């Protein structure tokens, strides 16, 4: 078992754009891939845009406990890639100023009116516990 600091783990996670966001749904667990829109300077906070009409947003509002799963690209010499599992709390952000801070132009592909898209929200996931597996090394962080 290794002990990485959050900045050391963040450096290893640089470039991982997609995560599986898992929420609670009527006693079951739902999951879907979400892009962090290139905001990969990981500090324990993840940000994802969505429409408030989605079941995912409704699930988070009912139960803010969520999980994120990240997988890095394949390592050299057949070594397994980096895997990261985050458990934390999610909040739905509706303030346009905060949405604008995290907005990138490429999002217009899904949200054509930008931060003025009706029903646009930002999902903020704050990590509480992070587990990681990096090849044969593994460890855990509490945030």
């Amino acid at each position: 078992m290794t002990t990485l600091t959050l900045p050391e783990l963040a450096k290893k996670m640089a470039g991982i754009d997609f995560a599986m966001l898992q929420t609670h749904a009527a006693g079951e667990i739902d999951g879907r891939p979400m892009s962090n829109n290139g905001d990969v300077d990981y500090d324990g906070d993840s940000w994802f845009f969505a429409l408030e009409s989605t079941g995912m947003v409704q699930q988070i509002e009912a139960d803010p406990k969520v999980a994120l799963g990240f997988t890095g690209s394949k390592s050299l010499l057949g070594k397994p890639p980096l895997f990261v599992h985050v458990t934390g709390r999610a909040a739905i952000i509706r303030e346009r100023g905060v949405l604008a801070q995290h907005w990138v132009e490429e999002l217009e592909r899904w949200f054509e009116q930008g931060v003025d898209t009706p029903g646009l929200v930002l999902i903020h996931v704050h990590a509480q516990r992070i587990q990681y597996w990096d090849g044969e090394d593994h460890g855990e962080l509490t945030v």
Side-chain angles (χ1 to χ4, degrees):
M1 185 155 156
T2 62
T3 305
L4 294 176
T5 65
L6 186 55
E8 290 169 336
L9 181 58
K11 186 175 180 181
K12 290 179 175 278
M13 290 174 67
I16 300 177
D17 183 32
F18 284 91
M20 288 297 293
L21 171 60
Q22 300 163 346
T23 56
H24 295 269
E28 300 295 327
I29 297 174
D30 278 355
R32 75 284 297 153
M34 300 292 289
S35 172
N36 61 25
N37 311 306
D39 189 1
V40 294
D41 293 329
Y42 192 68
D43 61 1
D45 290 316
S46 298
W47 305 88
F48 307 103
F49 282 92
L51 294 174
E52 67 182 335
S53 60
T54 63
M56 167 182 50
V57 170
Q58 295 164 9
Q59 292 165 2
I60 289 169
E61 288 181 323
D63 185 346
K65 295 183 297 262
V66 299
L68 297 172
F70 296 89
T71 304
S73 55
K74 189 174 181 181
S75 296
L76 298 174
L77 304 174
K79 184 176 157 184
L82 173 68
F83 297 95
V84 179
H85 182 260
V86 175
T87 54
R89 296 289 186 271
I92 305 301
I93 309 295
R94 292 178 171 85
E95 293 85 20
R96 291 209 195 255
V98 178
L99 273 68
Q101 289 173 2
H102 294 277
W103 186 260
V104 292
E105 191 173 307
E106 291 80 14
L107 288 166
E108 290 177 8
R109 175 179 177 187
W110 292 280
F111 310 108
E112 293 179 1
Q113 297 176 38
V115 295
D116 295 320
T117 300
L120 185 68
V121 298
L122 189 59
I123 300 169
H124 173 214
V125 177
H126 180 70
Q128 294 179 314
R129 181 172 165 238
I130 304 170
Q131 297 171 284
Y132 59 87
W133 298 264
D134 186 16
E136 296 169 5
D137 295 328
H138 66 280
E140 184 175 318
L141 296 167
T142 302
V143 181

